[in-house]
Amino acid sequence: RGDRRGLLEAHEAVDAGVIRPVLDYVDEHLAEKIDMERVSRNAGMSYSYFSKYFKKAMGVSFTEYVNRKRIATAERLLATRSLSVTEIADAVGIENRAHFYELFKRYKNCTPREYAQRLKG
């Protein structure tokens, strides 16, 4: 809407060239606070355009993508390492343990402790 000069079309043409660095950045900084404002600037887009662009390209919002990556990594750590739930939450960039439990339960339908117990048999 209102893009008569075609300024936004360039991003549509280089989808992988825009999205791949963003996904790599998320992977590299998963243990840190990931600021969408900074990521959008790095992608050369405004915050609002990046938000819409990412959702269109990936099928989920940026925040949802980051949360899913964090929980998938936490799941792997629970399966492969002998770390406490607090250590795992810190390792995936979630400082608030209650929030970590909430996200884990949302995506895995159980708490991290329940998940670890299931793995042990």
Side-chain angles (χ1 to χ4, degrees):
R1 174 177 127 179
D3 186 30
R4 292 186 193 118
R5 294 184 291 164
L7 298 174
L8 302 178
E9 289 177 20
H11 292 298
E12 298 298 328
V14 291
D15 187 51
V18 173
I19 292 295
R20 180 81 280 169
V22 170
L23 302 182
D24 291 343
Y25 179 88
V26 169
D27 288 342
E28 293 166 13
H29 296 88
L30 202 59
E32 305 165 19
K33 182 180 187 297
I34 298 176
D35 181 42
M36 194 166 105
E37 181 71 40
R38 181 178 181 179
V39 174
S40 63
R41 275 195 316 266
N42 288 348
M45 299 178 199
S46 71
Y47 181 94
S48 61
Y49 182 73
F50 175 77
S51 177
K52 292 172 189 166
Y53 180 82
F54 190 90
K55 186 163 186 166
K56 183 178 180 186
M58 298 298 293
V60 295
S61 71
F62 181 74
T63 302
E64 178 80 9
Y65 176 81
V66 171
N67 286 338
R68 286 182 182 187
K69 288 291 284 188
R70 285 183 166 150
I71 297 305
T73 301
E75 186 180 9
R76 238 181 346 273
L77 291 173
L78 283 165
T80 60
R81 302 245 177 100
S82 296
L83 300 172
S84 72
V85 172
T86 302
E87 291 171 317
I88 290 173
D90 289 342
V92 297
I94 303 173
E95 295 175 5
N96 183 321
R97 199 162 114 184
H99 184 60
F100 176 66
Y101 271 87
E102 176 190 327
L103 286 175
F104 200 93
K105 191 160 185 138
R106 181 186 312 160
Y107 295 112
K108 297 297 169 190
N109 295 318
C110 64
T111 68
R113 289 188 198 281
E114 291 169 344
Y115 184 82
Q117 288 173 345
R118 286 182 197 167
L119 291 175
K120 291 178 184 174

